[in-house]
Amino acid sequence: MKRERNSRQDRLLRVSKQNLPERKAEGEDGEMDLFRSVTQSVLGTPQQDQKSTGADTVDRLIDRVQSSTLLEDRRDGCRALKAMSRKYRVLVGAHGMDSLLQVLESDRNDHEIVNYALETLVNITAPEVFPEETEDSETTVDNQSSEIGEQFTEILTKRQENIALLVSLLDEFDFKVRYPTIKLLTNLLKNRPKDLQEVILVIPSGVSKLMDQLSDSREVIRNDTLLLLTQLTKSNTNLQKIVAFENAHDHLFDIIREEGYADGGVVVEDCLILMLNLLRNNPSNQTFFKEGSYIQRLTSFFTIPLEAKDGWSAQKVTNIHYMLQLVQTLVAPQNSAQVVTSCQKVMNQCGLLQALTGLLMATGVPVDILTVTITTVADMIRGNQQNQEFFADMMAPSNPPRPAIVVLLMSMVNDKQPFILRCAVLYCFQCFLYRNQTGQAQIIQTLLPQTADANSVTAGQLLCSGLFSLDPVSNWFAAVALSHSLVDNIAQKENMLRVQLATSVGSPPVSLMQQCTSILQAGTKIPTRLGILMLLSTWLSHCPVAVQNFLSIPTAVPYLTAHVQANEHDELELVCQGLCAFVLGLCGQFNDGSSSNFSQESLRQLVSDRIGAENFSDKLSNISRTEAYTKAAKSPQLSAKQSSDLVFDHEFCRLFKSLEVSALRAVTPQLVNGTSTEVSPAEVKKYKDIIRDQDAEMTQLREQLSKFQSDLEQIASEKENLASKVQQLHDENTVLKAQQGMAAGVAIANSADTTSEATSSNTEQISQQLAYVQQQLAEMTHARDYYYYEMVKKDQELTAVQQQNGPGQQAVAVNGLQTSADNATSNPELENVRKQLEDLQLVLYNKDSEIQQLKEKVAEPAASEAPKDNAAESQEVTVFQKELEAVKASKATLEQEKASLELQLKDIQNENNQLKTQLATASGAGTNAGAVAACSKCEDLQAELKGIQGEQEDLLVLVTDQDSKMAEYRRKLRSYGEDVTDDEDEDDEDGDYGIPDDYDEDLEDLQ
């Protein structure tokens, strides 16, 4: 990685050297004056006859930053590099990036030098080209100049530590550090978004630190953080989720409220763009937005004056546009049906739908805002019966009042209205009728004669006027709108056959279907023919009555066959021929034979003789081959930008996809006889049921198989566990048998070895461990008794010293004996052995105190010794007598504790016998739980013995120190002329503080 990084830096350096001119030492007083004034104090003034280039200057500055020991020198070097980084950023970046990063890491406590380093990195990673790079006439900037920032960004982001360092700098509150850090991270995201997104994802608390900047009281930092988060959340679902769950919506709503909602500035726009990034194509965030009651807070966005006297500013238009997009994102048809339905319900309950419909009916609203509002309301009511009913009942504020649907249709069929507005009205009308049979019936009823009202304008009248208008775009809009009144509604298809139209005064009325056929035969423009053919396709599908009415028109079938067999090569003409073929196929598919003119067989014969099966199939397939069909099939919303883009409707594409094959088979069965035969709907249903049953059975079998596999794995794991437990119990039984053999004799040991032949190696090892534990236990017991013996022995020695040195020393000895006796009265139970050891440590500490007192008395000069007062001596004698009586009482207590210890020893022996009994039982059963408990108890005892051993070793060291001090004090006593017994002197000279060989005999004598 380092070699790749160096090679990239070398390549950037070569590019810079090709484009970098040499500066003249004299005569340049323009663009480098500022740089010269900054760097002159750092680099010194060059000689007059020496020419200096930018590369040399940059190298000297970088060397100064790297090698200077004074902070001021490094700071001046970074300041100069910052000044040069815009004009010579390739040189500064290729040579100085590592030094700058080192400054950020080592000198981060100095905010000024950190600011210079960050600003330099911001300049060299900038995605744009600086004017300074192209100022020099001799400098040529090639195509690679625009990629310089991206290349340096790639070098910087290769090491995750660099990004983590920059993120950690956000903890600094100083503006000079935090603000350039945010700008640098924004540059990196613009240049290499994917790389930086992956790095920030793995940095601990990386996103949290970025989100904290939104709470900064300084607006500059807050606003730039919005831009940073906008770049960070682009096309990354994981980061979008993390940012959303870091309370991003709360922060953004608070900022929008502070800025004044729609009347706010560009900051509101940035907040809305960030919210769109978080919600678009992210179902998780959409659900979180709904459940967090944020939809209710959107209502306040649209509480704006409907009558704006001062007009709408450009920023306000932009803000409301993004607000509408935000609402539309939540209810877009591409979202999951569950999310859309729940959001539509909440929008109606919180009054958001009412607010948007009020904006839709307001006056003075700009066209683009009105267009987006209509589209947003359409998505809010699409497929939601309650919202559709509310929209149907909404009245426009006109005189007289009219339904909002009528007002919108008036705009749609009016060729003076903007094209995008007419498309939005059509989409709104389609969404109003989507899965709304009640609304479809209401529209069809306005076409029937008995419901027509001459004094009012109805939706049916507007659609008919648009259908027969001279404007081809109005014809297409009206035909598509009428077709949506018939989608998946056979009853309304039959009702529309009753619609009668008066073509002229005095002429008899004609049916709507006959009038549509007449329009087709008149050779109108292509948009008109496309709209009417799509209307006829929707009308004839799944409706045999409509098919018979169409076939009863004498000129209908000849027109279709003539256009299908025509030889036109224009793309839209080919589409019209395909639509004619599709209508002819529907006539054959849904023909029940009741027509006297054309039966299903006669239509097949007609297609075979006049058109040809291959030609018919080719013309029909031309529809799905066009790009317009692909675009219309993707989304129900119209994507047309101009009238020439109006070709197909989304619902028609869905209908054509479902009926294309069946319509082809209906009139050209010979094309499919070799490969497949026509199947009746009953057979199709039968096969579907069979497939559904088989699929359910396969699913059930898969579930059973997975269950059996999991059970098998569980049984195998249980088997392994049982085998390991059996082996463990067998080993433990063998260990216990070996222990019992060591305690009971050779015969039992031989029996245990015979039982454990299969695991002899493990048994031998564990037996050795248990023997070692028993030996350690015996040694610890032996040492404890020895320490008790040593304490009594020391007490006797102190008594002898007391007798030799008078009443003062005797008092000290009596106090020591009293302390020993008092500390010996501890709990005799085996579980409290550790407490006894702590008491022994206290005894040793008291003996140290006594020895110190003896040392102070012995150190007194002989000349200064004087006989004490008779009264003081008598008082000390009284105290010594009391202490002697206390020692005697302590001895009695020790004897009682000895008896208790003996009883405890008997209990332990009984417990060992019980363990042996459990061992014998475990050897016969193999899996007895008692053996497991015995082994566990042995392990606990072993652990406790290890702890006692360590403590007793510490006590042994302390006793050794005490003995050495006693020997030293005896020598000092002899130096002052005091008598010391020979036995004591021999003990001092021996220097062996271990347990003597005749310790057992002395202990018995003592007891």
Side-chain angles (χ1 to χ4, degrees), residues 214-219 222-223 226 250-265 267-268 271 297 300-301:
L214 290 178
S215 303
D216 199 304
S217 58
R218 295 162 291 191
E219 293 186 359
R222 183 200 66 185
N223 298 342
L226 289 173
D250 290 324
H251 289 295
L252 296 176
F253 275 110
D254 292 340
I255 295 173
I256 292 174
R257 186 188 67 253
E258 294 173 0
E259 294 293 328
Y261 294 104
D263 294 325
V267 178
V268 175
C271 292
R297 301 177 69 173
S300 57
F301 285 8

PDB file of all heavy atoms in Angstrom, residues 214-219 222-223 226 250-265 267-268 271 297 300-301:
ATOM      1  N   LEU A 214     -24.528  19.358  14.638  1.00  0.00           N
ATOM      2  CA  LEU A 214     -25.786  20.049  14.370  1.00  0.00           C
ATOM      3  C   LEU A 214     -26.253  20.865  15.563  1.00  0.00           C
ATOM      4  O   LEU A 214     -27.070  21.782  15.416  1.00  0.00           O
ATOM      5  CB  LEU A 214     -26.873  19.033  13.981  1.00  0.00           C
ATOM      6  CG  LEU A 214     -26.727  18.355  12.615  1.00  0.00           C
ATOM      7  CD1 LEU A 214     -27.844  17.347  12.411  1.00  0.00           C
ATOM      8  CD2 LEU A 214     -26.732  19.375  11.496  1.00  0.00           C
ATOM      9  N   SER A 215     -25.759  20.518  16.743  1.00  0.00           N
ATOM     10  CA  SER A 215     -26.145  21.265  17.950  1.00  0.00           C
ATOM     11  C   SER A 215     -25.206  22.414  18.239  1.00  0.00           C
ATOM     12  O   SER A 215     -25.370  23.081  19.264  1.00  0.00           O
ATOM     13  CB  SER A 215     -26.176  20.305  19.153  1.00  0.00           C
ATOM     14  OG  SER A 215     -27.062  19.232  18.917  1.00  0.00           O
ATOM     15  N   ASP A 216     -24.224  22.633  17.390  1.00  0.00           N
ATOM     16  CA  ASP A 216     -23.282  23.732  17.606  1.00  0.00           C
ATOM     17  C   ASP A 216     -24.020  25.073  17.481  1.00  0.00           C
ATOM     18  O   ASP A 216     -24.823  25.285  16.568  1.00  0.00           O
ATOM     19  CB  ASP A 216     -22.145  23.654  16.589  1.00  0.00           C
ATOM     20  CG  ASP A 216     -20.922  24.450  17.047  1.00  0.00           C
ATOM     21  OD1 ASP A 216     -21.079  25.653  17.315  1.00  0.00           O
ATOM     22  OD2 ASP A 216     -19.831  23.855  17.140  1.00  0.00           O
ATOM     23  N   SER A 217     -23.741  25.960  18.406  1.00  0.00           N
ATOM     24  CA  SER A 217     -24.412  27.259  18.408  1.00  0.00           C
ATOM     25  C   SER A 217     -23.941  28.164  17.282  1.00  0.00           C
ATOM     26  O   SER A 217     -24.622  29.144  16.953  1.00  0.00           O
ATOM     27  CB  SER A 217     -24.180  27.958  19.756  1.00  0.00           C
ATOM     28  OG  SER A 217     -22.792  28.121  19.998  1.00  0.00           O
ATOM     29  N   ARG A 218     -22.808  27.859  16.681  1.00  0.00           N
ATOM     30  CA  ARG A 218     -22.302  28.666  15.569  1.00  0.00           C
ATOM     31  C   ARG A 218     -22.938  28.187  14.272  1.00  0.00           C
ATOM     32  O   ARG A 218     -22.760  27.036  13.869  1.00  0.00           O
ATOM     33  CB  ARG A 218     -20.777  28.558  15.504  1.00  0.00           C
ATOM     34  CG  ARG A 218     -20.096  29.167  16.726  1.00  0.00           C
ATOM     35  CD  ARG A 218     -18.685  28.717  16.908  1.00  0.00           C
ATOM     36  NE  ARG A 218     -18.600  27.317  17.286  1.00  0.00           N
ATOM     37  CZ  ARG A 218     -17.486  26.727  17.715  1.00  0.00           C
ATOM     38  NH1 ARG A 218     -16.379  27.422  17.850  1.00  0.00           N
ATOM     39  NH2 ARG A 218     -17.496  25.450  18.020  1.00  0.00           N
ATOM     40  N   GLU A 219     -23.663  29.066  13.615  1.00  0.00           N
ATOM     41  CA  GLU A 219     -24.456  28.688  12.447  1.00  0.00           C
ATOM     42  C   GLU A 219     -23.590  28.232  11.286  1.00  0.00           C
ATOM     43  O   GLU A 219     -24.017  27.386  10.503  1.00  0.00           O
ATOM     44  CB  GLU A 219     -25.330  29.866  12.014  1.00  0.00           C
ATOM     45  CG  GLU A 219     -26.417  30.227  13.009  1.00  0.00           C
ATOM     46  CD  GLU A 219     -27.331  31.301  12.468  1.00  0.00           C
ATOM     47  OE1 GLU A 219     -27.091  31.768  11.341  1.00  0.00           O
ATOM     48  OE2 GLU A 219     -28.287  31.678  13.177  1.00  0.00           O
ATOM     49  N   ARG A 222     -22.866  24.632  11.879  1.00  0.00           N
ATOM     50  CA  ARG A 222     -24.110  23.858  11.722  1.00  0.00           C
ATOM     51  C   ARG A 222     -24.501  23.720  10.259  1.00  0.00           C
ATOM     52  O   ARG A 222     -24.870  22.631   9.797  1.00  0.00           O
ATOM     53  CB  ARG A 222     -25.221  24.533  12.509  1.00  0.00           C
ATOM     54  CG  ARG A 222     -26.548  23.818  12.505  1.00  0.00           C
ATOM     55  CD  ARG A 222     -27.669  24.754  12.872  1.00  0.00           C
ATOM     56  NE  ARG A 222     -27.855  25.793  11.863  1.00  0.00           N
ATOM     57  CZ  ARG A 222     -28.715  26.803  11.987  1.00  0.00           C
ATOM     58  NH1 ARG A 222     -29.435  26.921  13.080  1.00  0.00           N
ATOM     59  NH2 ARG A 222     -28.841  27.691  11.016  1.00  0.00           N
ATOM     60  N   ASN A 223     -24.411  24.799   9.504  1.00  0.00           N
ATOM     61  CA  ASN A 223     -24.820  24.759   8.100  1.00  0.00           C
ATOM     62  C   ASN A 223     -23.893  23.884   7.266  1.00  0.00           C
ATOM     63  O   ASN A 223     -24.345  23.141   6.395  1.00  0.00           O
ATOM     64  CB  ASN A 223     -24.858  26.179   7.541  1.00  0.00           C
ATOM     65  CG  ASN A 223     -25.868  27.057   8.264  1.00  0.00           C
ATOM     66  OD1 ASN A 223     -26.758  26.553   8.945  1.00  0.00           O
ATOM     67  ND2 ASN A 223     -25.724  28.359   8.122  1.00  0.00           N
ATOM     68  N   LEU A 226     -24.669  20.277   7.763  1.00  0.00           N
ATOM     69  CA  LEU A 226     -25.795  19.816   6.946  1.00  0.00           C
ATOM     70  C   LEU A 226     -25.315  19.361   5.572  1.00  0.00           C
ATOM     71  O   LEU A 226     -25.735  18.306   5.070  1.00  0.00           O
ATOM     72  CB  LEU A 226     -26.823  20.939   6.802  1.00  0.00           C
ATOM     73  CG  LEU A 226     -27.637  21.292   8.047  1.00  0.00           C
ATOM     74  CD1 LEU A 226     -28.487  22.524   7.780  1.00  0.00           C
ATOM     75  CD2 LEU A 226     -28.515  20.127   8.472  1.00  0.00           C
ATOM     76  N   ASP A 250     -35.271  15.142  14.601  1.00  0.00           N
ATOM     77  CA  ASP A 250     -35.548  16.159  15.620  1.00  0.00           C
ATOM     78  C   ASP A 250     -34.686  17.396  15.392  1.00  0.00           C
ATOM     79  O   ASP A 250     -35.169  18.534  15.470  1.00  0.00           O
ATOM     80  CB  ASP A 250     -35.289  15.574  17.013  1.00  0.00           C
ATOM     81  CG  ASP A 250     -36.324  14.535  17.393  1.00  0.00           C
ATOM     82  OD1 ASP A 250     -37.496  14.712  17.017  1.00  0.00           O
ATOM     83  OD2 ASP A 250     -35.969  13.552  18.065  1.00  0.00           O
ATOM     84  N   HIS A 251     -33.398  17.164  15.134  1.00  0.00           N
ATOM     85  CA  HIS A 251     -32.506  18.303  14.889  1.00  0.00           C
ATOM     86  C   HIS A 251     -32.968  19.105  13.671  1.00  0.00           C
ATOM     87  O   HIS A 251     -32.984  20.345  13.695  1.00  0.00           O
ATOM     88  CB  HIS A 251     -31.075  17.802  14.676  1.00  0.00           C
ATOM     89  CG  HIS A 251     -30.422  17.277  15.911  1.00  0.00           C
ATOM     90  ND1 HIS A 251     -30.133  18.073  16.998  1.00  0.00           N
ATOM     91  CD2 HIS A 251     -29.988  16.029  16.246  1.00  0.00           C
ATOM     92  CE1 HIS A 251     -29.562  17.352  17.943  1.00  0.00           C
ATOM     93  NE2 HIS A 251     -29.458  16.100  17.510  1.00  0.00           N
ATOM     94  N   LEU A 252     -33.330  18.389  12.603  1.00  0.00           N
ATOM     95  CA  LEU A 252     -33.700  19.084  11.370  1.00  0.00           C
ATOM     96  C   LEU A 252     -35.003  19.854  11.528  1.00  0.00           C
ATOM     97  O   LEU A 252     -35.137  20.992  11.039  1.00  0.00           O
ATOM     98  CB  LEU A 252     -33.804  18.067  10.235  1.00  0.00           C
ATOM     99  CG  LEU A 252     -32.499  17.348   9.858  1.00  0.00           C
ATOM    100  CD1 LEU A 252     -32.751  16.297   8.795  1.00  0.00           C
ATOM    101  CD2 LEU A 252     -31.459  18.340   9.381  1.00  0.00           C
ATOM    102  N   PHE A 253     -35.974  19.271  12.196  1.00  0.00           N
ATOM    103  CA  PHE A 253     -37.232  19.999  12.420  1.00  0.00           C
ATOM    104  C   PHE A 253     -37.009  21.242  13.277  1.00  0.00           C
ATOM    105  O   PHE A 253     -37.629  22.291  13.041  1.00  0.00           O
ATOM    106  CB  PHE A 253     -38.260  19.084  13.075  1.00  0.00           C
ATOM    107  CG  PHE A 253     -39.044  18.248  12.107  1.00  0.00           C
ATOM    108  CD1 PHE A 253     -38.856  16.877  12.036  1.00  0.00           C
ATOM    109  CD2 PHE A 253     -39.970  18.817  11.255  1.00  0.00           C
ATOM    110  CE1 PHE A 253     -39.570  16.096  11.139  1.00  0.00           C
ATOM    111  CE2 PHE A 253     -40.687  18.057  10.363  1.00  0.00           C
ATOM    112  CZ  PHE A 253     -40.490  16.690  10.302  1.00  0.00           C
ATOM    113  N   ASP A 254     -36.119  21.128  14.267  1.00  0.00           N
ATOM    114  CA  ASP A 254     -35.839  22.301  15.102  1.00  0.00           C
ATOM    115  C   ASP A 254     -35.170  23.413  14.285  1.00  0.00           C
ATOM    116  O   ASP A 254     -35.500  24.597  14.445  1.00  0.00           O
ATOM    117  CB  ASP A 254     -34.933  21.890  16.269  1.00  0.00           C
ATOM    118  CG  ASP A 254     -35.648  20.970  17.255  1.00  0.00           C
ATOM    119  OD1 ASP A 254     -36.901  20.961  17.250  1.00  0.00           O
ATOM    120  OD2 ASP A 254     -34.962  20.254  18.005  1.00  0.00           O
ATOM    121  N   ILE A 255     -34.258  23.030  13.414  1.00  0.00           N
ATOM    122  CA  ILE A 255     -33.590  24.042  12.588  1.00  0.00           C
ATOM    123  C   ILE A 255     -34.589  24.699  11.644  1.00  0.00           C
ATOM    124  O   ILE A 255     -34.584  25.928  11.459  1.00  0.00           O
ATOM    125  CB  ILE A 255     -32.422  23.399  11.810  1.00  0.00           C
ATOM    126  CG1 ILE A 255     -31.344  22.911  12.779  1.00  0.00           C
ATOM    127  CG2 ILE A 255     -31.830  24.377  10.816  1.00  0.00           C
ATOM    128  CD1 ILE A 255     -30.238  22.117  12.113  1.00  0.00           C
ATOM    129  N   ILE A 256     -35.456  23.892  11.034  1.00  0.00           N
ATOM    130  CA  ILE A 256     -36.451  24.442  10.102  1.00  0.00           C
ATOM    131  C   ILE A 256     -37.399  25.396  10.837  1.00  0.00           C
ATOM    132  O   ILE A 256     -37.759  26.461  10.315  1.00  0.00           O
ATOM    133  CB  ILE A 256     -37.229  23.300   9.428  1.00  0.00           C
ATOM    134  CG1 ILE A 256     -36.297  22.503   8.493  1.00  0.00           C
ATOM    135  CG2 ILE A 256     -38.421  23.825   8.643  1.00  0.00           C
ATOM    136  CD1 ILE A 256     -36.924  21.268   7.902  1.00  0.00           C
ATOM    137  N   ARG A 257     -37.782  25.034  12.042  1.00  0.00           N
ATOM    138  CA  ARG A 257     -38.666  25.919  12.811  1.00  0.00           C
ATOM    139  C   ARG A 257     -37.955  27.227  13.151  1.00  0.00           C
ATOM    140  O   ARG A 257     -38.543  28.313  13.055  1.00  0.00           O
ATOM    141  CB  ARG A 257     -39.108  25.213  14.091  1.00  0.00           C
ATOM    142  CG  ARG A 257     -40.149  26.013  14.883  1.00  0.00           C
ATOM    143  CD  ARG A 257     -40.442  25.416  16.227  1.00  0.00           C
ATOM    144  NE  ARG A 257     -39.307  25.501  17.127  1.00  0.00           N
ATOM    145  CZ  ARG A 257     -38.547  24.472  17.482  1.00  0.00           C
ATOM    146  NH1 ARG A 257     -38.812  23.264  17.018  1.00  0.00           N
ATOM    147  NH2 ARG A 257     -37.517  24.614  18.301  1.00  0.00           N
ATOM    148  N   GLU A 258     -36.689  27.137  13.551  1.00  0.00           N
ATOM    149  CA  GLU A 258     -35.958  28.355  13.883  1.00  0.00           C
ATOM    150  C   GLU A 258     -35.758  29.253  12.662  1.00  0.00           C
ATOM    151  O   GLU A 258     -35.750  30.483  12.790  1.00  0.00           O
ATOM    152  CB  GLU A 258     -34.597  27.978  14.480  1.00  0.00           C
ATOM    153  CG  GLU A 258     -34.680  27.274  15.835  1.00  0.00           C
ATOM    154  CD  GLU A 258     -33.330  26.771  16.291  1.00  0.00           C
ATOM    155  OE1 GLU A 258     -32.345  26.977  15.531  1.00  0.00           O
ATOM    156  OE2 GLU A 258     -33.253  26.178  17.373  1.00  0.00           O
ATOM    157  N   GLU A 259     -35.612  28.648  11.500  1.00  0.00           N
ATOM    158  CA  GLU A 259     -35.374  29.442  10.293  1.00  0.00           C
ATOM    159  C   GLU A 259     -36.658  29.995   9.682  1.00  0.00           C
ATOM    160  O   GLU A 259     -36.588  30.808   8.756  1.00  0.00           O
ATOM    161  CB  GLU A 259     -34.646  28.578   9.254  1.00  0.00           C
ATOM    162  CG  GLU A 259     -33.245  28.167   9.660  1.00  0.00           C
ATOM    163  CD  GLU A 259     -32.287  29.342   9.726  1.00  0.00           C
ATOM    164  OE1 GLU A 259     -32.471  30.291   8.934  1.00  0.00           O
ATOM    165  OE2 GLU A 259     -31.365  29.315  10.574  1.00  0.00           O
ATOM    166  N   GLY A 260     -37.826  29.545  10.141  1.00  0.00           N
ATOM    167  CA  GLY A 260     -39.075  30.116   9.642  1.00  0.00           C
ATOM    168  C   GLY A 260     -39.785  29.273   8.605  1.00  0.00           C
ATOM    169  O   GLY A 260     -40.531  29.831   7.774  1.00  0.00           O
ATOM    170  N   TYR A 261     -39.617  27.969   8.606  1.00  0.00           N
ATOM    171  CA  TYR A 261     -40.300  27.059   7.691  1.00  0.00           C
ATOM    172  C   TYR A 261     -40.087  27.479   6.234  1.00  0.00           C
ATOM    173  O   TYR A 261     -38.946  27.666   5.806  1.00  0.00           O
ATOM    174  CB  TYR A 261     -41.779  26.951   8.039  1.00  0.00           C
ATOM    175  CG  TYR A 261     -42.027  26.304   9.374  1.00  0.00           C
ATOM    176  CD1 TYR A 261     -42.386  27.057  10.503  1.00  0.00           C
ATOM    177  CD2 TYR A 261     -41.893  24.928   9.530  1.00  0.00           C
ATOM    178  CE1 TYR A 261     -42.610  26.452  11.727  1.00  0.00           C
ATOM    179  CE2 TYR A 261     -42.107  24.308  10.769  1.00  0.00           C
ATOM    180  CZ  TYR A 261     -42.468  25.077  11.845  1.00  0.00           C
ATOM    181  OH  TYR A 261     -42.673  24.472  13.053  1.00  0.00           O
ATOM    182  N   ALA A 262     -41.164  27.634   5.461  1.00  0.00           N
ATOM    183  CA  ALA A 262     -41.036  27.914   4.030  1.00  0.00           C
ATOM    184  C   ALA A 262     -40.412  29.275   3.765  1.00  0.00           C
ATOM    185  O   ALA A 262     -39.779  29.496   2.724  1.00  0.00           O
ATOM    186  CB  ALA A 262     -42.404  27.830   3.344  1.00  0.00           C
ATOM    187  N   ASP A 263     -40.553  30.199   4.691  1.00  0.00           N
ATOM    188  CA  ASP A 263     -39.974  31.524   4.506  1.00  0.00           C
ATOM    189  C   ASP A 263     -38.501  31.586   4.869  1.00  0.00           C
ATOM    190  O   ASP A 263     -37.886  32.648   4.774  1.00  0.00           O
ATOM    191  CB  ASP A 263     -40.746  32.547   5.352  1.00  0.00           C
ATOM    192  CG  ASP A 263     -42.183  32.710   4.873  1.00  0.00           C
ATOM    193  OD1 ASP A 263     -42.396  32.627   3.654  1.00  0.00           O
ATOM    194  OD2 ASP A 263     -43.079  32.909   5.716  1.00  0.00           O
ATOM    195  N   GLY A 264     -37.944  30.471   5.297  1.00  0.00           N
ATOM    196  CA  GLY A 264     -36.536  30.448   5.650  1.00  0.00           C
ATOM    197  C   GLY A 264     -35.639  30.506   4.429  1.00  0.00           C
ATOM    198  O   GLY A 264     -36.092  30.497   3.279  1.00  0.00           O
ATOM    199  N   GLY A 265     -34.346  30.542   4.694  1.00  0.00           N
ATOM    200  CA  GLY A 265     -33.372  30.657   3.630  1.00  0.00           C
ATOM    201  C   GLY A 265     -32.929  29.323   3.103  1.00  0.00           C
ATOM    202  O   GLY A 265     -33.647  28.316   3.145  1.00  0.00           O
ATOM    203  N   VAL A 267     -30.818  27.396   4.316  1.00  0.00           N
ATOM    204  CA  VAL A 267     -30.620  26.380   5.362  1.00  0.00           C
ATOM    205  C   VAL A 267     -31.812  25.432   5.415  1.00  0.00           C
ATOM    206  O   VAL A 267     -31.647  24.216   5.590  1.00  0.00           O
ATOM    207  CB  VAL A 267     -30.392  27.070   6.723  1.00  0.00           C
ATOM    208  CG1 VAL A 267     -30.239  26.030   7.826  1.00  0.00           C
ATOM    209  CG2 VAL A 267     -29.165  27.964   6.666  1.00  0.00           C
ATOM    210  N   VAL A 268     -33.017  25.952   5.259  1.00  0.00           N
ATOM    211  CA  VAL A 268     -34.206  25.095   5.224  1.00  0.00           C
ATOM    212  C   VAL A 268     -34.125  24.134   4.039  1.00  0.00           C
ATOM    213  O   VAL A 268     -34.470  22.947   4.149  1.00  0.00           O
ATOM    214  CB  VAL A 268     -35.476  25.962   5.157  1.00  0.00           C
ATOM    215  CG1 VAL A 268     -36.713  25.092   5.000  1.00  0.00           C
ATOM    216  CG2 VAL A 268     -35.589  26.829   6.395  1.00  0.00           C
ATOM    217  N   CYS A 271     -31.775  21.324   4.928  1.00  0.00           N
ATOM    218  CA  CYS A 271     -32.409  20.375   5.869  1.00  0.00           C
ATOM    219  C   CYS A 271     -33.372  19.445   5.143  1.00  0.00           C
ATOM    220  O   CYS A 271     -33.404  18.232   5.406  1.00  0.00           O
ATOM    221  CB  CYS A 271     -33.139  21.137   6.967  1.00  0.00           C
ATOM    222  SG  CYS A 271     -32.067  22.041   8.102  1.00  0.00           S
ATOM    223  N   ARG A 297     -45.819  16.603  12.267  1.00  0.00           N
ATOM    224  CA  ARG A 297     -45.062  17.851  12.279  1.00  0.00           C
ATOM    225  C   ARG A 297     -44.923  18.441  10.878  1.00  0.00           C
ATOM    226  O   ARG A 297     -44.532  19.602  10.737  1.00  0.00           O
ATOM    227  CB  ARG A 297     -43.679  17.604  12.890  1.00  0.00           C
ATOM    228  CG  ARG A 297     -43.738  17.059  14.305  1.00  0.00           C
ATOM    229  CD  ARG A 297     -42.378  16.761  14.878  1.00  0.00           C
ATOM    230  NE  ARG A 297     -41.602  17.970  15.129  1.00  0.00           N
ATOM    231  CZ  ARG A 297     -40.418  17.980  15.754  1.00  0.00           C
ATOM    232  NH1 ARG A 297     -39.904  16.840  16.204  1.00  0.00           N
ATOM    233  NH2 ARG A 297     -39.774  19.114  15.935  1.00  0.00           N
ATOM    234  N   SER A 300     -47.308  21.643   9.840  1.00  0.00           N
ATOM    235  CA  SER A 300     -46.925  23.041  10.074  1.00  0.00           C
ATOM    236  C   SER A 300     -46.140  23.632   8.911  1.00  0.00           C
ATOM    237  O   SER A 300     -46.007  24.854   8.821  1.00  0.00           O
ATOM    238  CB  SER A 300     -46.095  23.141  11.364  1.00  0.00           C
ATOM    239  OG  SER A 300     -44.954  22.299  11.279  1.00  0.00           O
ATOM    240  N   PHE A 301     -45.609  22.780   8.026  1.00  0.00           N
ATOM    241  CA  PHE A 301     -44.896  23.297   6.858  1.00  0.00           C
ATOM    242  C   PHE A 301     -45.814  24.084   5.923  1.00  0.00           C
ATOM    243  O   PHE A 301     -45.362  24.995   5.232  1.00  0.00           O
ATOM    244  CB  PHE A 301     -44.267  22.145   6.068  1.00  0.00           C
ATOM    245  CG  PHE A 301     -43.032  21.564   6.703  1.00  0.00           C
ATOM    246  CD1 PHE A 301     -42.636  21.932   7.972  1.00  0.00           C
ATOM    247  CD2 PHE A 301     -42.251  20.651   6.028  1.00  0.00           C
ATOM    248  CE1 PHE A 301     -41.509  21.407   8.558  1.00  0.00           C
ATOM    249  CE2 PHE A 301     -41.122  20.121   6.599  1.00  0.00           C
ATOM    250  CZ  PHE A 301     -40.747  20.486   7.873  1.00  0.00           C
TER     251      PHE A 301
END
